[in-house]
Amino acid sequence: MIRVAIADDHQMFIDGIRSILDNVSYITIVAEAKDGLELIKAVEKENPDIVLTDIRMPGMDGIAAVKYLTENYSHIPVLALSMFDQEEEVIDMLKAGAAGYIIKKAGKDELVTAIQKLVNRGHYYSDSISANVHKWLENPEMVEELTPLTKRERQILKLIADGKTSQQIARFLKISKYTVDTHRKNIHKKLDIKTNTGLVKYVLENMQ
């Protein structure tokens, strides 16, 4: 039996996945979560064989959750499910450690195939994701050239340059302070800038 944990902030979507997988005799959903933090707690409790997670969720988003799971539960593969096939989000999720990525409009057969491949330590990516993503999968060092900062990271960087604290940014974007701090660390690392003053200078020189 393949034991699945799923995270999505829309119950209707979770119910839809459950209705699909209920018809597959060897797959069962053992945990549901509405955000990344709930997902982590569910994984700690249930130790599923695979995690299915959305990217955009309130509080801790899917990317932050996958990074945590990759670091602490590397034996559990993660399949990202999203309405979007934008290369920034796809690459960011794969960098976080997701072993697969499919679009939510995928049919039952594709979902089941993806789950099977990941449980068997393989990978699965929807055909609809961009050619650039496939190039990155073959040549990961391209990632900084393809997407130095994600859309969310650029958004947070501009707010940092405006003098906002992590708590203020979290309230403004309606996400958790933990998620903001994670993005901050990624921004500093990607840009190789160690101070907020340096980040402000980067914004003035590159993002006006």
Side-chain angles (χ1 to χ4, degrees):
M1 183 67 71
I2 297 174
R3 304 171 70 254
V4 176
I6 182 170
D8 195 284
D9 59 329
H10 294 96
Q11 186 62 45
M12 186 179 295
F13 178 74
I14 291 179
D15 292 343
I17 294 295
R18 183 178 287 280
S19 68
I20 290 173
L21 297 183
D22 278 348
N23 293 318
V24 183
S25 61
Y26 55 88
I27 299 178
T28 183
I29 295 178
V30 296
E32 299 178 2
K34 297 297 191 299
D35 59 36
L37 187 57
E38 282 190 15
L39 175 61
I40 288 171
K41 291 179 179 178
V43 168
E44 291 173 343
K45 179 180 179 181
E46 299 292 343
N47 191 33
D49 299 306
I50 184 171
V51 166
L52 278 56
T53 183
D54 190 15
I55 297 177
R56 299 181 181 181
M57 296 183 289
M60 183 189 291
D61 63 20
I63 293 171
V66 172
K67 285 180 180 177
Y68 179 89
L69 293 176
T70 300
E71 292 173 359
N72 295 277
Y73 297 89
S74 59
H75 63 288
I76 302 176
V78 176
L79 175 63
L81 306 172
S82 178
M83 291 293 295
F84 308 97
D85 58 2
Q86 297 170 351
E87 69 181 36
E88 284 185 351
E89 290 195 335
V90 178
I91 291 176
D92 219 37
M93 199 64 161
L94 299 182
K95 284 178 63 183
Y101 191 109
I102 67 173
I103 308 305
K104 284 185 176 180
K105 64 183 179 182
K108 171 187 173 181
D109 291 344
E110 183 174 9
L111 175 61
V112 172
T113 296
I115 290 173
Q116 290 174 330
K117 287 195 174 184
L118 266 62
V119 168
N120 288 311
R121 314 313 298 175
H123 300 271
Y124 188 91
Y125 313 103
S126 289
D127 291 336
S128 61
I129 62 176
S130 73
N132 273 340
V133 175
H134 285 289
K135 289 179 182 178
W136 178 76
L137 290 169
E138 297 171 0
N139 191 17
E141 57 267 26
M142 288 178 58
V143 69
E144 297 305 330
E145 178 182 337
L146 286 173
T147 174
L149 294 177
T150 67
K151 182 178 179 181
R152 176 65 93 186
E153 286 168 348
R154 289 196 298 272
Q155 186 179 28
I156 289 174
L157 177 54
K158 288 182 178 180
L159 291 170
I160 292 172
D162 287 340
K164 299 289 192 298
T165 65
S166 290
Q167 192 64 52
Q168 290 171 329
I169 294 171
R171 285 198 299 268
F172 180 76
L173 298 179
K174 297 180 181 179
I175 58 179
S176 72
K177 181 178 179 295
Y178 174 91
T179 298
V180 174
D181 288 338
T182 297
H183 284 304
R184 271 183 178 269
K185 290 177 183 178
N186 291 338
I187 291 167
H188 281 290
K189 182 177 180 181
K190 285 183 178 182
L191 299 180
D192 194 24
I193 296 174
K194 301 186 184 306
T195 66
N196 283 347
T197 301
L199 292 180
V200 172
K201 182 180 178 181
Y202 178 89
V203 170
L204 293 174
E205 293 178 350
N206 297 279
M207 298 177 65
Q208 296 300 314

